[in-house]
Amino acid sequence: MQDVIFFDQRPRPDRDQTPRERRYYVWTVGCQMNISDSERLEAALQGVGYSPATRPEDASFVVLNSCSVRASAEERILGKLGELVRVKRQHPDTKIVLWGCMVGPNNRSIFADQLPMVDHFVSPSAVDEVVALAPNPIYTLDEPALPVRDWSHPPVSVHVPIQYGCNMTCSYCVIPLRRGRERSRPLAEIVEEVRRIVARGAKEITLLGQIVDSWGHDLPNRPELADLLEAVDPTPGLLRLRFLTSHPAWMTDRLIETVARLPRCQPEINLPVQAGSDRVLKLMRRGYTVARYKALIARIRAAIPDISLTTDIIVGHPGETEDDFRQTMDLCTEIGFDKVHIAAFSARSGTRAAEQEQDPALAIPPAVKEERRRRLEQLQEQIATERMARFLGQTVEVLVEGESKGKWRGRTPGNRLVFFSHPADLTGQLVPVEITATSPWSLQGVPQLDNSVNAQSKENGLVKAR
């Protein structure tokens, strides 16, 4: 998935009438998949009669949704569990669940022996199993919960998992060990879920999978991601459709053509390359060469000239030489990615790369990893600066997501962040914005709205007092 995100539960009002025994607290570390799982869990817990708490000591049911992609993510969760020891002493009836990628298939965790404060360990994405552990439900769910925790303020964009697990054997990745083999959700189930989400106010859907373009190969008749996009694109009320994260081995010409043709599919593809050296790609077990990757990029750009390309790169993989790293820098310069998610290699127990790092001849010193990461970040900042500068003076279509520091925040079709000022509440609307300033990470602009649009906003009560 894309870059690791640390997502703490956002404050929201407690429901004063709900006693502590029917309050929950969810704390999440991880990628978009983990965030989506937690959103669905919170919706389900509210459906069985629970209300959110803003502090773990105010809840009888505490769930930590964990990540194992990097050591820092695990350390963050372990630190939070250490804090919960005090809560457990004060309230011995508190049930604590460790959920997510720190727990493997069959609810087994290599951390179990060192975490006596945890009552239950639950494998990733098993929302129903977590809900079943809640000690004091008063209702049962009439239908599957959607990945949205609060429908009183519908989110503009919602991530919908379409596949769980991974069949790849990349040297550095612990996901297959923790999430198990790939399991695709049925097409009809996904289409119906998207319909329900959009009908309740969402405008943009992002389909999620560890290797999203391999979706469907384990289902009857072996549908492809292109088939799913065809089925979701006509959803009434849907404005934009995206997907991530792709793998070069599964990106087909048919999928590229489908993205280019469908009206709601956005011109953005996240295609992790991980390294620009064939030797390192082989060590990583990625299954493609640099030449094959560049040929794929050329086909994508030929079919979708305005495509926004993002990628993931790991620096400091065991065995990476300075020459290998320079080849990665050269590849980034040649392709000109719009965004690069950069990580220094972090050994994960049980992976082939973790074994390789035990060899002094292959291990990369931490200082070298960090130095390479900084150099690549500096290069990408230069590239991003040039690519974003192209939009100066242009008018772009922005889907407004909400407010941020006194301005409206939204994204272009290519998923570039845009900020602008306007007196009306434009959340969820497509707004033309003329770009007046650019930076490597975002755009600033002025909305191009005529008086009729402003008048309609006032008529609908959307003008906010400032």
Side-chain angles (χ1 to χ4, degrees):
M1 305 296 289
Q2 283 184 329
D3 40 353
V4 171
I5 297 171
F6 296 119
F7 179 83
D8 293 354
Q9 181 174 318
R10 291 168 290 184
R12 50 191 176 278
D14 286 341
R15 299 173 188 174
D16 294 335
Q17 302 305 312
T18 305
R20 180 181 173 276
E21 58 264 26
R22 286 203 308 278
R23 289 182 185 269
Y24 70 83
Y25 178 84
V26 175
W27 198 77
T28 305
V29 173
C31 64
Q32 292 91 339
M33 184 73 77
N34 272 21
I35 293 172
S36 179
D37 286 344
S38 290
E39 295 271 5
R40 195 183 301 270
L41 172 63
E42 291 204 48
L45 288 172
Q46 292 174 29
V48 299
Y50 277 74
S51 293
T54 56
R55 305 185 306 163
E57 49 265 46
D58 297 329
S60 67
F61 191 54
V62 176
V63 181
L64 273 60
N65 196 355
S66 62
C67 173
S68 284
V69 171
R70 287 186 263 283
S72 58
E74 289 181 349
E75 291 166 0
R76 192 170 168 87
I77 286 288
L78 293 173
K80 189 68 172 181
L81 284 167
E83 296 174 12
L84 292 177
V85 171
R86 174 183 55 81
V87 175
K88 194 82 167 177
R89 287 199 193 104
Q90 293 175 345
H91 304 283
D93 62 327
T94 303
K95 298 299 179 185
I96 299 177
V97 178
L98 179 61
W99 185 33
C101 291
M102 287 176 67
V103 184
N106 302 315
N107 294 345
R108 295 178 180 176
S109 175
I110 61 175
F111 301 93
D113 291 342
Q114 56 184 293
L115 300 175
M117 77 292 291
V118 175
D119 296 285
H120 303 283
F121 296 86
V122 182
S123 300
S125 300
V127 174
D128 292 345
E129 289 187 41
V130 179
V131 175
L133 296 171
N136 302 299
I138 56 176
Y139 307 116
T140 57
L141 293 175
D142 296 328
E143 57 184 357
L146 298 174
V148 175
R149 67 157 67 88
D150 182 7
W151 284 111
S152 62
H153 298 90
V156 172
S157 182
V158 176
H159 291 77
V160 175
I162 65 172
Q163 171 203 67
Y164 300 105
C166 182
N167 290 353
M168 306 300 288
T169 58
C170 299
S171 65
Y172 51 82
C173 186
V174 75
I175 295 299
L177 301 177
R178 304 294 172 83
R179 287 188 173 266
R181 294 187 62 79
E182 287 178 0
R183 305 174 306 283
S184 298
R185 296 178 63 193
L187 184 148
E189 178 182 300
I190 298 167
V191 171
E192 173 59 17
E193 179 164 298
V194 170
R195 184 198 65 77
R196 291 172 59 202
I197 293 171
V198 175
R200 298 184 70 170
K203 305 297 182 183
E204 177 182 83
I205 295 294
T206 299
L207 304 177
L208 287 182
Q210 299 297 148
I211 306 292
V212 71
D213 40 359
S214 73
W215 174 87
H217 71 93
D218 56 334
L219 295 175
N221 301 319
R222 296 178 65 87
E224 299 178 10
L225 180 59
D227 298 309
L228 180 58
L229 294 176
E230 295 266 13
V232 171
D233 193 82
T235 303
L238 179 65
L239 297 181
R240 290 181 173 179
L241 179 60
R242 305 182 190 274
F243 58 90
L244 61 88
T245 296
S246 302
H247 190 290
W250 289 92
M251 178 66 62
T252 65
D253 288 342
R254 184 190 169 208
L255 179 57
I256 295 168
E257 181 276 330
T258 301
V259 174
R261 175 173 46 84
L262 292 179
R264 294 176 180 84
C265 275
Q266 300 302 290
E268 178 207 13
I269 291 179
N270 176 251
L271 196 62
V273 65
Q274 302 298 4
S277 158
D278 284 341
R279 198 180 70 83
V280 175
L281 288 175
K282 187 173 183 179
L283 286 172
M284 288 180 166
R285 293 182 167 183
R286 289 293 289 174
Y288 53 84
T289 63
V290 172
R292 181 180 171 187
Y293 184 90
K294 290 196 291 188
L296 177 57
I297 294 295
R299 296 201 302 276
I300 292 172
R301 282 184 162 152
I304 316 169
D306 59 342
I307 191 73
S308 173
L309 286 170
T310 63
T311 197
D312 299 354
I313 290 177
I314 296 173
V315 300
H317 185 281
E320 180 188 68
T321 66
E322 177 63 22
D323 183 62
D324 292 323
F325 176 68
R326 287 185 181 279
Q327 291 180 52
T328 297
M329 297 271 282
D330 291 342
L331 179 69
C332 289
T333 300
E334 179 179 347
I335 291 180
F337 294 105
D338 292 272
K339 182 183 290 186
V340 179
H341 306 104
I342 305 167
F345 172 78
S346 174
R348 313 312 299 128
S349 177
T351 63
R352 181 179 177 84
E355 296 176 5
Q356 293 171 333
E357 194 166 62
Q358 298 304 308
D359 183 346
L362 297 176
I364 308 300
V368 175
K369 294 180 189 177
E370 181 62 19
E371 187 262 347
R372 290 177 182 173
R373 184 189 64 79
R374 286 199 304 268
R375 284 163 60 193
L376 186 54
E377 283 186 343
Q378 290 168 0
L379 172 65
Q380 180 54 33
E381 182 173 353
Q382 296 171 9
I383 294 170
T385 297
E386 294 173 3
R387 294 193 64 77
M388 294 289 262
R390 299 172 301 148
F391 293 95
L392 187 64
Q394 293 189 22
T395 297
V396 297
E397 181 187 73
V398 175
L399 177 58
V400 182
E401 298 173 344
E403 271 192 300
S404 176
K405 298 180 180 179
K407 290 189 175 183
W408 295 109
R409 180 196 69 247
R411 295 183 185 271
T412 68
N415 214 16
R416 298 173 180 90
L417 193 58
V418 179
F419 296 92
F420 66 90
S421 298
H422 195 272
D425 186 343
L426 301 172
T427 303
Q429 296 188 41
L430 293 172
V431 176
V433 177
E434 181 181 351
I435 302 304
T436 57
T438 70
S439 77
W441 325 122
S442 66
L443 305 169
Q444 303 278 341
V446 177
Q448 303 300 295
L449 297 174
D450 58 29
N451 291 331
S452 63
V453 174
N454 294 331
Q456 186 65 40
S457 296
K458 292 179 181 178
E459 182 180 330
N460 294 334
L462 297 178
V463 175
K464 302 180 75 173
R466 293 190 176 273

